Amino acid sequence: DSGVTQTPKHLITATGQRVTLRCSPRSGDLSVYWYQQSLDQGLQFLIQYYNGEERAKGNILERFSAQQFPDLHSELNLSSLELGDSALYFCASSVTRGANTGELFFGEGSRLTVL
Amino acid sequence: GENVEQHPSTLSVQEGDSAVIKCTYSDSASNYFPWYKQELGKRPQLIIDIRSNVGEKKDQRIAVTLNKTAKHFSLHITETQPEDSAVYFCAAITGFQKLVFGTGTRLLVSP
């Protein structure tokens, strides 16, 4: 158990719909990262938050948005869903001290299926 | 931004052989290079990492080497075992910036 909690574990929805994925980081971790992993593909970086603020952005579509709340949990919102959005979405958290990023701890992922 | 290339994409070895996976990065300011192992259907987990002030690091059967001049780093697994079969990802990061992963190497260790 990494200490990072993601919900839901599985989600099936239709094209055009909107979903929200939730992530609770490990206790004490200030950084939250979101990654997308399509079938047999690598880990595509979407976005990073640090203590409530957006820190870095990757190849995140405009239809996607995220935020980190004061209690440090994070939500990834996916809207106007398309078939190609079907993927495993991972959240990870880390302790970031000074200029050094530490180990990322990944949640179990949320598997999104768009029909 | 950072770009990480990883090869080979697949690697098949016999149990007991060594396996080497190589990565190159583009940003000379990158200072942290972790390796993650992802078993089928599971989350990625850190197996070893190295920072830019170190040239080599070992942990039992696994080791990572870093060549800052050439901007490449490698994962070495000795005495491979069937349970080493998984997808391995390298990654690189600059300071607070995003952690960029390589495309992954599927390692298959045959008994």
Side-chain angles (χ1 to χ4, degrees):
Chain A
D1 184 10
S2 66
V4 178
T5 303
Q6 287 188 248
T7 57
K9 286 186 170 50
H10 300 276
L11 189 56
I12 301 174
T13 189
T15 54
Q17 295 299 304
R18 172 190 171 94
V19 299
T20 297
L21 310 181
R22 181 188 170 99
C23 170
S24 294
R26 290 190 325 153
S27 177
D29 285 358
L30 301 179
S31 286
V32 170
Y33 305 75
W34 286 98
Y35 287 87
Q36 179 192 55
Q37 187 173 42
S38 300
L39 189 64
D40 285 339
Q41 298 295 310
L43 294 157
Q44 297 298 317
F45 172 76
L46 296 178
I47 199 164
Q48 177 203 358
Y49 283 86
Y50 176 76
N51 202 20
E53 294 188 1
E54 183 182 306
R55 179 55 61 91
K57 213 166 188 176
N59 299 321
I60 187 167
L61 300 172
E62 287 190 7
R63 300 184 285 108
F64 296 0
S65 65
Q67 56 182 327
Q68 185 179 29
F69 295 87
D71 66 352
L72 301 179
H73 91 271
S74 178
E75 292 182 357
L76 178 66
N77 301 295
L78 316 174
S79 62
S80 302
L81 286 168
E82 302 175 358
L83 296 178
D85 297 328
S86 296
L88 188 55
Y89 291 85
F90 283 108
C91 168
S93 73
S94 74
V95 174
T96 302
R97 295 191 181 91
N100 296 315
T101 290
E103 174 182 356
L104 263 63
F105 293 87
F106 283 81
E108 298 296 326
S110 292
R111 183 170 297 281
L112 173 66
T113 302
V114 182
L115 301 176
Chain B
E2 180 64 276
N3 183 48
V4 178
E5 295 186 359
Q6 180 174 352
H7 57 92
S9 56
T10 58
L11 180 59
S12 295
V13 300
Q14 291 292 120
E15 182 177 1
D17 288 349
S18 294
V20 180
I21 303 171
K22 299 182 179 181
C23 288
T24 59
Y25 59 98
S26 60
D27 189 344
S28 58
S30 292
N31 58 13
Y32 177 62
F33 308 92
W35 286 87
Y36 283 79
K37 175 183 180 182
Q38 186 178 26
E39 297 178 355
L40 189 61
K42 297 191 176 180
R43 59 187 171 88
Q45 290 187 269
L46 180 75
I47 55 171
I48 195 167
D49 57 9
I50 191 168
R51 297 195 184 273
S52 57
N53 58 347
V54 176
E56 183 176 2
K57 184 176 179 181
K58 287 184 179 180
D59 184 3
Q60 298 183 339
R61 295 186 298 107
I62 61 173
V64 56
T65 58
L66 172 64
N67 183 326
K68 287 190 293 183
T69 302
K71 290 191 283 188
H72 66 69
F73 57 112
S74 300
L75 177 71
H76 303 253
I77 306 175
T78 59
E79 300 174 20
T80 53
Q81 301 168 3
E83 51 265 38
D84 294 329
S85 296
V87 179
Y88 292 81
F89 292 98
C90 62
I93 192 168
T94 305
F96 279 119
Q97 302 307 310
K98 59 187 179 183
L99 186 66
V100 177
F101 284 85
T103 49
T105 295
R106 187 176 301 277
L107 175 64
L108 177 61
V109 181
S110 302

